[in-house]
Amino acid sequence: MDSERLMSQLERKGYSCSHDAIRPQGEIAIINTCGFIGDAKEESINTILEFVERKQSGKLSHLYVMGCLSQRYMEDLKAEIPEVDKFYGKFNFHDLLNDLPNAYSVQDCHNEVSAWHRHLTTPKHYAYVKIAEGCDRRCAYCAIPLITGKHVSRPQEEIIKEVEELVAQGVKEFQIIEQELTYYGVDLNGERQIAELIRKMADVKGVKWIRLHYAYPNQFPMELLDVIREKPNVCKYLDIALQHISNNMLERMHRNVTKAETIELIKAIRKRVPGICLRTTLMVGFPGETEQDFEELLDFVRETRFERMGAFAYSEEEGTYSAINYQDDVPEEVKQARLDKLMSLQQEISSEIEESKIGEEMKVVIDRREGDYYIGRTEFSSPEVDPEVLIPATSRRLRTGCFYNVRITDAEAFDLYAEIKS
């Protein structure tokens, strides 16, 4: 979304912008980086170096870098990659507008450029809306607070205005994101306001789907579940990262929640919102994870049967509590073996869950066409990470961004097949 806002401002200045071009043709490149985990940092560095080569070969006149990676490693990057014209952090990237060739002062159009003006890089019918920045949690492994600072909620009025503008542009589906969704509003008036905010968003005319990402299990606001259950355009979907289940790991991770509390919360969520789809993220190989801890995690996944699950192996992030105070004592080959075993179990569970949907009638939104199929999603699937619905393109023409009722005809581990309901 930072990229989208910057692109909007660049276009207002007269630049023509493209996002993630396969064959970049522009004279100026701006790379928005991620510095959260090792793989993301490596990808960011490789992208920077790729564009450095373009600049050195004369295909590029200016190269700028912004985002989390440069926020955290600004001085190191300046020293190691001097070919970059200038580095910006996560919060001062708007200064780039003043540094571009033929620059003007951002203040000259202050009234014209608002926080919610964006050039969407997603398909026109859905968008991501970030409702806060930063995190007050201090999970032992996480570098986010080191990069983004403390939790800062956006005002409700500003968020609703952004949603209304996006609806006016044709957006129908909203992915609501935040580092810690359920903490929204605490810094504004001391109270969790997420349920109130989502209820207001659901009341905006033209909003068809709202989907919630990155909840935290500790002190979960149960009133949010009432909104999910009562509002038909709030998807029965909740992304709640649990990371682990053994008390040993939860304590060492500084998660401030126990195994018993986690299990009770999941039961309460499913009871209060029948049919809800739960997505979680789990970690293996955290320092001190024993074979018993891992087997406990497998049992938990086997019994809970998450509809959606992602997992990753622990990667030490400098400056975090675990990097400073723990020894990374789980061998890499053990981490990978555990990750493979966990994901294999989840694939079995996902296959069974998806197969149980054969014969059901469901609503889908069409994202795109690929070859002989239209690709859609149900309310239980977030873009890019969750199972999709493949509909043969031979029966009738379908429109991207439109909703259709389908009947599920077949299933694979992570995808469904369907036909349009006549």
Side-chain angles (χ1 to χ4, degrees):
M1 285 165 290
D2 290 343
S3 296
E4 292 179 343
R5 285 194 289 270
L6 182 58
M7 288 177 70
S8 173
Q9 293 166 358
L10 288 168
E11 288 169 342
R12 289 166 187 269
K13 186 179 176 182
Y15 285 95
S16 175
C17 303
S18 61
H19 179 262
D20 282 350
I22 297 176
R23 297 181 180 86
Q25 302 296 321
E27 298 179 2
I28 300 171
I30 302 169
I31 300 173
N32 191 3
T33 59
C34 179
F36 176 40
I37 59 176
D39 288 347
K41 288 191 288 187
E42 182 178 357
E43 181 180 353
S44 294
I45 292 293
N46 288 339
T47 301
I48 295 171
L49 295 177
E50 175 186 336
F51 278 84
V52 163
E53 291 182 4
R54 290 183 59 82
K55 185 180 179 185
Q56 290 174 332
S57 65
K59 298 178 181 178
L60 200 65
S61 63
H62 292 80
L63 175 59
Y64 301 98
V65 174
M66 57 182 272
C68 292
L69 189 72
S70 51
Q71 174 78 24
R72 192 174 186 200
Y73 302 105
M74 180 78 71
E75 297 306 317
D76 292 339
L77 289 169
K78 286 180 181 178
E80 294 294 329
I81 317 179
E83 295 85 356
V84 172
D85 290 284
K86 192 169 181 178
F87 291 91
Y88 303 84
K90 182 169 175 58
F91 302 106
N92 72 332
F93 64 88
H94 292 287
D95 294 346
L96 190 154
L97 293 166
N98 294 330
D99 297 331
L100 289 170
N102 304 316
Y104 71 106
S105 171
V106 178
Q107 283 71 29
D108 291 342
C109 67
H110 178 74
N111 293 327
E112 183 183 6
V113 180
S114 302
W116 51 78
H117 285 147
R118 294 159 55 183
H119 171 126
L120 289 181
T121 57
T122 57
K124 295 180 180 180
H125 58 282
Y126 72 79
Y128 293 86
V129 174
K130 182 179 286 188
I131 62 175
E133 190 68 81
C135 186
D136 285 0
R137 304 287 184 180
R138 289 294 182 268
C139 299
Y141 51 83
C142 186
I144 286 178
L146 301 176
I147 300 171
T148 62
K150 293 181 67 65
H151 180 105
V152 179
S153 301
R154 294 174 60 194
Q156 287 194 29
E157 299 77 16
E158 180 182 293
I159 297 170
I160 297 302
K161 177 66 174 177
E162 180 178 10
V163 169
E164 290 172 345
E165 282 210 5
L166 289 170
V167 168
Q169 295 175 32
V171 176
K172 304 173 183 178
E173 177 185 357
F174 294 84
Q175 321 297 332
I176 309 305
I177 62 173
E178 180 189 337
Q179 276 88 11
E180 214 278 64
L181 183 94
T182 46
Y183 200 75
Y184 174 80
V186 172
D187 57 308
L188 297 178
N189 68 352
E191 298 180 2
R192 295 171 187 262
Q193 301 179 25
I194 185 64
E196 177 185 352
L197 174 65
I198 299 304
R199 192 179 294 276
K200 288 181 179 178
M201 291 178 59
D203 289 338
V204 174
K205 186 176 181 180
V207 173
K208 301 297 184 183
W209 277 355
I210 298 172
R211 192 175 289 103
L212 306 178
H213 290 272
Y214 319 133
Y216 193 92
N218 175 254
Q219 296 180 316
F220 185 92
M222 301 302 288
E223 62 272 15
L224 177 61
L225 301 176
D226 298 330
V227 179
I228 297 174
R229 184 185 66 252
E230 296 167 4
K231 291 291 185 179
N233 58 348
V234 178
C235 298
K236 290 183 171 59
Y237 180 107
L238 182 65
D239 190 333
I240 180 167
L242 299 177
Q243 307 301 349
H244 217 284
I245 195 59
S246 83
N247 284 325
N248 175 41
M249 286 292 94
L250 292 173
E251 183 176 354
R252 287 177 63 83
M253 289 178 175
H254 295 177
R255 293 289 288 170
N256 298 307
V257 69
T258 66
K259 176 179 181 177
E261 290 168 342
T262 301
I263 292 173
E264 285 305 308
L265 175 61
I266 293 172
K267 290 180 180 178
I269 291 172
R270 285 179 164 165
K271 181 178 181 181
R272 208 145 167 176
V273 188
I276 193 170
C277 173
L278 288 180
R279 162 172 272 281
T280 196
T281 304
L282 301 173
M283 182 193 301
V284 299
F286 187 77
E289 184 186 53
T290 65
E291 194 63 34
Q292 180 179 345
D293 291 324
F294 177 64
E295 289 298 327
E296 198 170 339
L297 181 62
L298 287 176
D299 289 341
F300 171 66
V301 170
R302 193 175 291 113
E303 294 166 5
T304 306
R305 295 178 64 82
F306 290 102
E307 288 79 9
R308 312 278 186 252
M309 191 201 81
F312 63 100
Y314 170 76
S315 173
E316 184 175 277
E317 295 299 320
E318 58 196 286
T320 60
Y321 183 92
S322 60
I324 295 170
N325 295 279
Y326 299 151
Q327 180 182 354
D328 189 2
D329 57 357
V330 181
E332 291 301 319
E333 60 270 20
V334 174
K335 292 179 184 178
Q336 189 60 51
R338 290 177 180 176
L339 180 61
D340 292 344
K341 190 171 183 178
L342 179 61
M343 291 310 300
S344 177
L345 171 60
Q346 180 60 31
Q347 183 170 349
E348 294 176 12
I349 294 170
S350 295
S351 295
E352 293 171 1
I353 290 175
E354 297 306 290
E355 286 177 6
S356 70
K357 297 175 182 176
I358 295 176
E360 289 188 15
E361 294 180 0
M362 309 181 81
K363 180 191 288 187
V364 300
V365 63
I366 302 301
D367 283 341
R368 64 193 184 279
R369 178 173 175 171
E370 287 185 3
D372 296 331
Y373 291 95
Y374 289 105
I375 311 299
R377 288 176 294 104
T378 69
E379 68 173 295
F380 309 114
S381 290
S382 191
E384 301 179 8
V385 297
D386 288 332
E388 296 176 317
V389 181
L390 283 68
I391 306 164
T394 54
S395 55
R396 56 183 278 196
R397 182 180 179 184
L398 306 182
R399 297 180 61 185
T400 299
C402 289
F403 292 81
Y404 298 89
N405 292 321
V406 302
R407 186 178 70 85
I408 306 302
T409 58
D410 202 357
E412 294 180 347
F414 297 110
D415 285 316
L416 295 170
Y417 291 84
E419 60 184 14
I420 295 293
K421 183 184 174 184
S422 56

